[in-house]
Amino acid sequence: MAVMRDHSIDPKAMDVFDVRMAKAPSVKTIEISLLAREPAAEGCRGSVTWIARGLLLEQTQIMLRMDLKEAGPQCTECQLLLFARRRDRLSGEIASFLADAPSYVGPGYDTNSDEGNSRPLDEDGWDGRLDDELPMGPLDGCATESIHLPFPSALGVQRCRDDGLEWLAEQEMQLRTGQANDTLHKLRLALADKAMLFRTN
């Protein structure tokens, strides 16, 4: 490439690589914006923070599942203890999240029912969940990381419409968009780092 050939003579030739893209709003930026516009109606206040908490819990669940799968059934005693502690801490946080669920998804939501396990409807643009098989091991039977959280996307489009939860679904969609933006930004940084290493080697 001519630019790579000429950069030692004319540093300005490298300006072609100085691509400046406007950074998409992060999940924190979107959360701040939603909090500023959060309705004051009863049952709505605190919903943005509740969904944001749930998204963090969901990420923690996924990371724990990935770590368990990587460790496999031949865990050491120290690994088992660490996993058990992580599950115990996560279990308490999820219990608190589920206890607040009726305030936002309605009093008809039962944390002991299977409603939270309903799969999203792909044809309506809802995201699916991670469905990898859980690793077999001594900790099976207390899979806190497999609990489905009662997001609007998990409850299903029809129930959201029936219960008037479109506003909550919209908040979730915006926060998930912020999550995706954050992930893409990290991916761009990782690719840029690898590209730099490739050019200097």
Side-chain angles (χ1 to χ4, degrees):
M1 183 185 292
V3 172
M4 298 300 292
R5 185 182 64 246
D6 299 338
H7 78 280
S8 59
I9 302 172
D10 182 12
K12 289 186 177 181
M14 297 296 290
D15 289 349
V16 68
F17 293 114
D18 187 20
V19 179
R20 297 184 181 275
M21 298 178 60
K23 186 176 181 294
S26 67
V27 67
K28 291 181 179 179
T29 300
I30 292 175
E31 184 178 354
I32 291 171
S33 175
L34 288 173
L35 285 171
R37 296 183 282 112
E38 192 173 48
E42 184 177 355
C44 298
R45 179 65 63 181
S47 59
V48 175
T49 301
W50 179 73
I51 293 177
R53 279 172 54 205
L55 294 180
L56 288 175
L57 288 174
E58 188 178 59
Q59 285 184 319
T60 304
Q61 286 180 305
I62 292 172
M63 291 302 299
L64 180 54
R65 292 181 70 162
M66 291 173 63
D67 290 345
L68 281 166
K69 193 169 186 178
E70 182 179 357
Q74 305 301 324
C75 291
T76 66
E77 193 173 51
C78 288
Q79 286 178 311
L80 287 175
L81 179 59
L82 288 174
F83 285 137
R85 286 174 175 172
R86 287 173 65 182
R87 273 180 163 167
D88 183 61
R89 183 166 57 251
L90 180 60
S91 178
E93 293 172 350
I94 289 178
S96 175
F97 178 79
L98 293 178
D100 292 336
S103 299
Y104 305 108
V105 298
Y109 176 75
D110 181 4
T111 57
N112 295 318
S113 73
D114 293 330
E115 289 183 273
N117 292 329
S118 60
R119 292 299 304 275
L121 303 179
D122 294 336
E123 61 269 22
D124 285 290
W126 298 91
D127 292 331
R129 285 187 55 89
L130 183 66
D131 284 323
D132 294 339
E133 292 184 2
L134 290 173
M136 299 300 293
L139 291 178
D140 287 349
C142 53
T144 303
E145 67 279 5
S146 66
I147 295 174
H148 287 247
L149 304 180
F151 294 112
S153 56
L155 298 177
V157 175
Q158 191 56 51
R159 174 167 176 181
C160 287
R161 289 172 179 163
D162 293 343
D163 294 350
L165 297 176
E166 291 95 336
W167 60 274
L168 193 65
E170 176 64 22
Q171 289 180 347
E172 181 193 351
M173 184 180 70
Q174 291 190 46
L175 288 170
R176 286 193 181 278
T177 299
Q179 266 191 329
N181 291 341
D182 288 346
T183 301
L184 289 173
H185 180 65
K186 291 176 182 177
L187 180 59
R188 289 192 189 101
L189 292 179
L191 290 173
D193 184 58
K194 288 186 178 295
M196 181 60 67
L197 291 174
F198 176 76
R199 288 175 187 152
T200 55
N201 287 339

